[in-house]
Amino acid sequence: MELKNLFKLTALSTALAATLGLAGCGGDININTGNETTTPTTPTTPTTPTESAQQKSYSGFATKSTAFTTVDGKEVWELTGTLSPSSAASTISTGGQDGDKIVLGNDVVWLLNGAVVAGGDNENSVELSILPGTKVLGGSDSYLVISRGSKIMAEGTATAPIVFTSAETALGQEGKAGQWGGLVLLGNAPVNTCPDLANCDASFEVGNHNYGGDNTQDNSGVIQYVRVEFGGFKINDTQEMNGISFAGVGSGTQVDHIQVHLNNDDGVEFWGGNVSISNVVLTENFDDSLDWTNGWQGSAQHVYIRQADNGSNRGIEADSNSDANAMPMSKPALANITIEVADGTNSGGDDAEGILFRKGTGVMAYNLLVKGGVDSGECLEVNDDNTVNNANGAELTVQNSLIDCVEPFKNAKPDAAEGRTLALDVEAWYKGQDGNLVGAADLTDYMPNASSVALTGGKADLSNLDDRLVDAQYIGAFDGSNDWTVGWTTAIHDDAAATPTALPTLTSCPVGTTAETVVAGLYKDDKVTLVCTLQGNVLSNTTLLAGQNVMYKIDGGAVVVGGDNENATTLAIQAGTKLFATDNSYIAVSRGSKIMAQGSATHPIEMTSQQDVIAGAEGARGQWGGLVLLGKGLTNTCPDKNACDASFEVGDFPYGGNDNADSSGQISYVVIKYAGFKVNDTQEMNGISFAAVGSGTQVDHIQVHANGDDGVEFWGGAVNLKYVYLTHNFDDSLDWTNGWTGKAQFVYITHEDGNANRGIEGDSHKGATDTPVSKPKLANFTILPGVDIENASGDKGEGILLRVATAGELYNVLVQGRKGSTSTTESGECLELDGSYAGLVDNVNNNTLTMSHSIIDCNEPFKYSSDNAATADAINVETWFMGQEGNATTAVTLTDGMPATTDAALIGTGKDLSTDDNFFEATNFIGAFDGQNDWRQGWAYFPQ
C-alpha cells in the first residue's frame, strides 16, 4: 500500500512546510524529502554509515519511514504486510525480534502501512509485544490483525498507556473518526456461524481473515492500558472497521483498561468467542459502543460508555443469530456498566439509544445504569421473537439496574413484515426482576453523588454468581470514590475546560406546542423571534427545545402533564430553556408522569411570569401559578395507602399512594420567579409543590424567588433536595406537612423585610394515629429572616417554627436574624416550638425531634407556644436547644450568606453526616456555605 496521498512525499513535505510549521504540532516532526545524501570526508574514501541501535533492532521486520523522520522526538518505523518468525539471531534491546517474538519498542514511533498481519492463520505464529508508552500510527487504510494462533502482548500502564492513533494526529492535524482502521484479534474459540467448530473458517468482514474454532480457552494475548482512537475506516455500507474487533477470541485472552475513542463504526465488537473485558471506556463512537453477535459468551464489567450528541447510535447492540438453533447462543455476563445516552441522531439517521437486545441473544446483566437526556431515544429495547422467548425463559435477565431516561423502554411488538409474532412489555419485564429501579441516577458527570441510589442498589456477591466478575455492590461503572479512568484515557480528564456551548437558533416550534406571532418590541429580549405556546392536557412526550431566540408560553390555566396514573407522559425541558406563564396558568405533573427539567450551571432553565418578559412590565409576586408535582408516595391524610387519592389544594388533582421511592423525574438548575397566585385565603400556589413525591425524583440546584405563597412545600412523600436557594418568598420559604420524610442539604433562605413569614414551617398531623409522621433530615441551612413587622397577611418575619406533631433531625443550621431595638429593625423569634398538639412534645421527649451543631444569632432567639393547657410550657426551647451537641447562641458575620474562611464559630464546627447517610456530602461547617465555594454562581438569580 502507498498510504494514499497523505504520505506521498512531495505533496506531504510541501503541504506541511507551508501549513503546519512543523514544530509545536503535537510532536517534533521532521520531514525527509528523500533527497538527502552523505558527503564523503575525502573524494576517494566515503564515510561508512554507522548502524543505529534502532536499525540493529528493527530492520529485520520493519523499515525506517521515508514519510517522517521523527515524531515526538523519536524515529518512525514502518510495519507492512505479514509479520513472521525469524531464524536470525536475537536483535532485542529495547525492542527487536527473537525467533517468533517481535517487540515494538517505545524508543520509536510505529507506522502501520496497510493491513499489518501478525502470523499466518494457525501457522507461522508470532507473539507481538508492545512496550508501555508506545505510540502506533495508522494510515488511511491501515489496521493491525492478530491471526489465529498468534498473540498480542500490549501491556501498557496507567502512566504509560499504549496508544493506537491516526497518522494525522502525528502531523498536528485534528483527530477524526475513520482516519485509519483499528485492531483485530482472530481466535480459535466457538462462533455460531460454523456448524462444525472443529473445521471452522469464518471470514472476518474486512480482509477475509479466518477466525473461529472449538477452543473456548484459546489465548490471543494481553491488551492492557491500551487506547485506540480515530479509527474505523469504511469500505462500504456493510464493511467497516471497529476500534477493537474480537472474532472468535477465547477466554485465555486478558483484556482490561482499554479505551476506544471516536471510532467511525463500533467501539468494540465480538463475533462469538469467550473473551472477557473489564475497565473499558468507550467514548463518542459513531455506531454502537459495545456490540456482540454470533455466540459471544464472555463477560464485561466496569464499562463506561459516553455517546456523542448527534453522532452516536446505541450504547449496546446485542445479537446472537437469526436462527434460534445456532449454537452457541450469545449469553455474556455484564456487570457495572454506565451508559450516557446521547441526544439526537447521527449522520446515518440513527437515533441515540441505550440498549437493544435482539436476534435471540441471552444475557445475565447486573448493576447497569442507563441515563438518557431530553432528546435521547429509548434506553432499553427488546426486539424479535427469539429474544422475547429468552426474556420469558430466563435466558435474558437484567437485575439491580437503574434506568434514568425520558424514554425508558420500547416494547417488542408483532410485525408481519419482519416475521415477528410475539410481544413483550419491556417495562413490566424489567420491573419484575430483582432490584431494578426507574428513577434519577443523581450523577455528577459519570460519578454517582453520595446521595445516589446507585451506590446502594447493586447486586451483591457477583463473584459467587460468576467467577469472572468481581464483587461491586453498586449500580454503574463507578463506586462514587474511585475513578479508574484517571491517567490513561483521553477526552475525559486531560482536556481544557470546554467553552459553554451557545444555544442554537430555532426556526420552528417543537411538536406539542404552537407558534405565536411575535410583535417586534413586545419582549424585553429583542432576540426573541419565536414564542411557542403549551396549554391543556399534555398526553404525549413533549420536549421543549432550548434556543437563543425562543421562549415558551404556559397559557390557559393548568397545563397538566399526563393523566392520573394513566397516559404516562414526560415533559422534557432542555438546558437553557426559558418559560413564561400567563396570570392564571401553572404546570401540574400527574401521578405516573414525569418532568425532566435538566438545566446546567451554564444554561439554567427559567420559569417566570409574563410580566417579567414583556417590555414595560415588571415581575412581581403571584403573577402566575408555579410547578406542581403529584406523586405516589406516602401521605398521612390517607389511612389506606393502597387506595389513596388525596386532593391537591388547587385544582383538586389527586396524589398519594404507597411508593415513597416513586420518581416524578428531575428538576436541576431551575429558577422559578414571581409565581404563587392566590385563589382564596386557603388556596394559594407555591413556587414548587411536592405532593407525595418519591425519592426517585432528583431535585438539585433550584431557586424560588418572590413567590406569592411558600417557596417549596411538601405534602408527605420522601423526595430529597440539594443546593436550594429561596429568596424573598412571601409566606414560608420551606414548608412541610402530612408525613414528609425526605432530606435536604445546602439550603440558603433570605427574606424581604415586611414581605415574608417564616424560613421553615414544619408540620405533620393532627390525628394521633396518622402515619407516617413527618420526619425530614436537614443539614447545612442558612436562614436570614426578615424584620418582625407584618406582611400583607398579618404574619411577622420569623426563623423556624416546628409544630403540629412533626419530628425531624436538623444539623448544621444557622439562623441569623436582623438586629435592632424595635420590631421594625429586628427579626421575630428565630426558633419556635409549638406544642398545641401533644405529639410534638412527645417527639422532643423521645428524641425524634432533634437539632444539633447549629447556631442561633438573633435578638429574640427562642419561643415556646401552646394553646393547649395540657402542653403549655412543657418545653423550654432554649434548654432543649442548648442541651444538644454543638449548639450555640453566638454572633457571626456573613457577607451575602457567606462566612469568612477563618470563622471559627462556623467553619470546622459542623457535623459530617456522610459517614452515616450517603445522601449527604461531607461537611465540617455550619450553614449553607463553607466560606469558599458559592454553589449559586453561574445559574442563580441574585435579587437587587
Side-chain angles (χ1 to χ4, degrees):
M1 158 200 154
E2 292 184 1
L3 294 187
K4 296 188 177 178
N5 292 334
L6 179 62
F7 297 106
K8 290 185 178 178
L9 298 179
T10 55
L12 179 69
S13 58
T14 301
L16 290 177
T19 62
L20 295 180
L22 304 186
C25 297
D28 180 11
I29 304 169
N30 299 298
I31 306 304
N32 184 336
T33 64
N35 297 321
E36 298 172 4
T37 59
T38 302
T39 304
T41 55
T42 70
T44 57
T45 309
T47 299
T48 301
T50 301
E51 190 175 34
S52 68
Q54 287 74 27
Q55 287 173 320
K56 291 178 181 178
S57 295
Y58 304 130
S59 58
F61 61 90
T63 57
K64 188 176 179 181
S65 175
T66 57
F68 302 93
T69 52
T70 61
V71 169
D72 298 340
K74 300 176 182 179
E75 292 181 355
V76 179
W77 281 73
E78 187 174 306
L79 299 170
T80 188
T82 300
L83 304 178
S84 301
S86 171
S87 60
S90 173
T91 64
I92 295 177
S93 55
T94 301
Q97 184 167 12
D98 184 1
D100 61 0
K101 183 175 183 179
I102 297 173
V103 180
L104 304 186
N106 54 19
D107 55 339
V108 303
V109 171
W110 297 91
L111 176 66
L112 303 177
N113 186 336
V116 176
V117 183
D121 181 31
N122 279 325
E123 62 181 11
N124 297 318
S125 299
V126 298
E127 180 180 287
L128 179 64
S129 293
I130 307 176
L131 297 186
T134 300
K135 178 180 283 188
V136 182
L137 309 176
S140 58
D141 60 356
S142 302
Y143 58 103
L144 177 62
V145 178
I146 309 301
S147 299
R148 289 192 293 188
S150 291
K151 292 181 181 179
I152 183 172
M153 303 299 290
E155 299 176 273
T157 67
T159 55
I162 295 164
V163 178
F164 289 83
T165 189
S166 68
E168 283 88 342
T169 62
L171 299 174
Q173 298 176 9
E174 180 183 1
K176 297 180 180 180
Q179 290 176 332
W180 69 291
L183 179 57
V184 179
L185 273 67
L186 306 165
N188 291 293
V191 56
N192 65 29
T193 54
C194 284
D196 181 4
L197 292 177
N199 296 284
C200 180
D201 291 308
S203 181
F204 188 68
E205 64 181 0
V206 177
N208 296 321
H209 308 286
N210 293 334
Y211 67 94
D214 59 2
N215 184 4
T216 59
Q217 299 178 11
D218 190 37
N219 185 352
S220 294
V222 177
I223 305 177
Q224 188 174 59
Y225 289 106
V226 170
R227 202 166 73 225
V228 178
E229 56 191 30
F230 312 124
F233 65 66
K234 183 173 181 176
I235 297 174
N236 54 47
D237 288 341
T238 60
Q239 291 180 298
E240 297 172 294
M241 290 291 289
N242 307 295
I244 307 179
S245 299
F246 297 94
V249 176
S251 63
T253 310
Q254 180 183 342
V255 183
D256 64 87
H257 295 88
I258 62 171
Q259 180 181 16
V260 179
H261 176 64
L262 211 64
N263 200 77
N264 200 44
D265 192 32
D266 300 334
V268 295
E269 184 166 359
F270 303 86
W271 288 264
N274 306 80
V275 63
S276 294
I277 60 175
S278 65
N279 299 96
V280 178
V281 176
L282 304 172
T283 47
E284 280 80 65
N285 296 298
F286 178 80
D287 192 15
D288 312 312
S289 296
L290 175 64
D291 192 334
W292 72 75
T293 188
N294 298 148
W296 180 47
Q297 295 197 334
S299 67
Q301 187 174 22
H302 291 113
V303 179
Y304 170 48
I305 294 172
R306 185 185 70 197
Q307 296 179 311
D309 288 344
N310 301 306
S312 295
N313 187 198
R314 298 185 177 108
I316 293 176
E317 183 177 276
D319 301 333
S320 183
N321 196 299
S322 298
D323 180 0
N325 296 316
M327 291 294 151
M329 178 180 69
S330 293
K331 193 178 179 182
L334 307 181
N336 301 99
I337 296 178
T338 295
I339 303 175
E340 293 181 354
V341 185
D343 287 336
T345 60
N346 63 22
S347 60
D350 301 311
D351 290 334
E353 300 169 354
I355 300 173
L356 171 62
F357 296 127
R358 66 177 188 184
K359 290 190 179 180
T361 192
V363 77
M364 302 295 287
Y366 312 97
N367 303 350
L368 309 184
L369 192 162
V370 187
K371 182 172 178 59
V374 297
D375 198 26
S376 302
E378 59 268 12
C379 285
L380 179 59
E381 178 183 0
V382 176
N383 196 333
D384 88 26
D385 289 1
N386 294 336
T387 319
V388 170
N389 286 331
N390 286 343
N392 290 330
E395 295 286 358
L396 179 70
T397 63
V398 177
Q399 298 179 27
N400 294 85
S401 294
L402 173 62
I403 303 291
D404 178 9
C405 297
V406 174
E407 186 180 352
F409 306 105
K410 184 176 181 181
N411 295 332
K413 297 179 180 179
D415 186 330
E418 296 292 333
R420 298 194 295 266
T421 62
L422 300 180
L424 180 70
D425 183 330
V426 175
E427 180 176 8
W429 168 76
Y430 172 82
K431 289 183 174 180
Q433 298 175 81
D434 291 345
N436 286 339
L437 303 170
V438 178
D442 190 12
L443 308 179
T444 297
D445 296 324
Y446 50 77
M447 192 70 72
N449 295 318
S451 52
S452 175
V453 295
L455 295 180
T456 56
K459 184 76 170 178
D461 299 324
L462 292 177
S463 60
N464 287 333
L465 296 170
D466 189 316
D467 61 11
R468 298 170 298 181
L469 305 177
V470 298
D471 289 336
Q473 195 175 349
Y474 47 88
I475 297 174
F478 303 96
D479 66 1
S481 301
N482 303 298
D483 189 346
W484 46 264
T485 70
V486 172
W488 59 278
T489 60
T490 188
I492 298 179
H493 306 283
D494 54 358
D495 297 331
T499 302
T501 304
L503 296 176
T505 299
L506 301 187
T507 58
S508 60
C509 289
V511 174
T513 67
T514 57
E516 178 180 290
T517 301
V518 176
V519 178
L522 176 62
Y523 296 105
K524 293 176 182 178
D525 185 350
D526 58 11
K527 297 193 298 295
V528 173
T529 59
L530 190 63
V531 170
C532 306
T533 299
L534 185 68
Q535 59 186 160
N537 196 181
V538 181
L539 294 176
S540 59
N541 292 343
T542 300
T543 299
L544 305 186
L545 304 174
Q548 57 186 291
N549 66 318
V550 64
M551 291 193 298
Y552 292 88
K553 182 177 182 179
I554 307 303
D555 196 19
V559 173
V560 182
V561 179
D564 179 41
N565 279 326
E566 62 181 12
N567 298 315
T569 302
T570 297
L571 175 64
I573 307 175
Q574 287 188 339
T577 300
K578 188 168 187 176
L579 301 85
F580 69 89
T582 55
D583 292 4
N584 64 339
S585 299
Y586 58 100
I587 298 173
V589 181
S590 302
R591 289 189 291 189
S593 292
K594 292 182 180 181
I595 184 171
M596 298 297 290
Q598 297 173 306
S600 67
T602 53
H603 291 305
I605 294 166
E606 182 177 319
M607 302 180 184
T608 190
S609 68
Q610 181 171 247
Q611 292 87 337
D612 190 36
V613 300
I614 291 179
E618 295 297 331
R621 292 181 182 85
Q623 290 175 337
W624 67 291
L627 178 59
V628 179
L629 273 64
L630 306 159
K632 295 186 284 188
L634 301 173
T635 174
N636 62 33
T637 57
C638 286
D640 183 356
K641 306 302 189 279
N642 293 315
C644 181
D645 290 303
S647 182
F648 187 69
E649 63 182 1
V650 176
D652 294 328
F653 302 108
Y655 68 91
N658 61 2
D659 184 7
N660 255 359
D662 184 39
S663 174
S664 295
Q666 180 176 353
I667 307 173
S668 296
Y669 293 101
V670 173
V671 177
I672 295 178
K673 301 191 296 182
Y674 308 125
F677 64 62
K678 182 173 182 177
V679 178
N680 54 47
D681 287 341
T682 60
Q683 291 180 297
E684 297 172 295
M685 291 288 286
N686 307 293
I688 309 180
S689 299
F690 297 94
V693 174
S695 61
T697 310
Q698 180 175 337
V699 183
D700 64 273
H701 296 89
I702 63 169
Q703 179 180 10
V704 178
H705 173 68
N707 199 76
D709 191 31
D710 299 336
V712 294
E713 185 166 358
F714 307 86
W715 290 265
V719 63
N720 303 318
L721 299 86
K722 193 172 288 185
Y723 299 110
V724 179
Y725 187 30
L726 302 173
T727 53
H728 295 192
N729 296 298
F730 182 78
D731 192 14
D732 311 313
S733 293
L734 189 146
D735 191 334
W736 71 77
T737 189
N738 298 146
W740 180 48
T741 55
K743 305 165 189 175
Q745 187 178 26
F746 307 124
V747 178
Y748 180 35
I749 295 171
T750 68
H751 284 172
E752 183 181 12
D753 291 339
N755 279 304
N757 187 199
R758 301 178 178 111
I760 291 177
E761 183 177 278
D763 301 335
S764 181
H765 58 282
K766 297 180 179 178
T769 61
D770 296 341
T771 58
V773 174
S774 293
K775 192 180 180 183
K777 191 172 185 179
L778 314 179
N780 298 99
F781 277 52
T782 295
I783 302 173
L784 307 181
V787 295
D788 187 23
I789 55 177
E790 296 179 351
N791 64 21
S793 295
D795 300 312
K796 296 181 178 181
E798 301 169 355
I800 299 174
L801 170 62
L802 304 177
R803 65 180 188 182
V804 193
T806 191
E809 300 175 50
L810 288 75
Y811 305 92
N812 304 341
V813 176
L814 169 64
V815 185
Q816 185 185 54
R818 306 277 209 278
K819 302 295 179 64
S821 57
T822 67
S823 64
T824 60
T825 57
E826 68 178 7
S827 299
E829 59 268 16
C830 285
L831 176 60
E832 177 182 0
L833 302 186
D834 184 341
S836 297
Y837 291 89
L840 184 120
V841 179
D842 295 338
N843 294 339
V844 167
N845 291 334
N846 64 23
N847 292 319
T848 58
L849 178 61
T850 61
M851 186 173 185
S852 74
H853 298 83
S854 296
I855 289 178
I856 305 293
D857 177 15
C858 300
N859 280 3
E860 187 181 351
F862 306 110
K863 180 181 179 182
Y864 177 74
S865 59
S866 177
D867 296 324
N868 184 343
T871 61
D873 301 322
I875 302 170
N876 183 309
V877 178
E878 181 176 6
T879 300
W880 171 77
F881 177 79
M882 296 300 293
Q884 296 178 81
E885 184 180 0
N887 289 341
T889 53
T890 303
V892 297
T893 300
L894 303 177
T895 302
D896 189 19
M898 188 80 68
T901 57
T902 56
D903 191 317
L906 298 174
I907 308 302
T909 57
K911 182 177 178 64
D912 181 5
L913 302 182
S914 67
T915 57
D916 300 319
D917 188 325
N918 64 12
F919 168 79
F920 294 96
E921 296 182 24
T923 56
N924 68 344
F925 55 90
I926 295 173
F929 302 101
D930 64 359
Q932 302 179 65
N933 303 298
D934 187 348
W935 43 261
R936 302 170 298 167
Q937 293 300 320
W939 64 274
Y941 170 77
F942 289 85
Q944 299 300 313

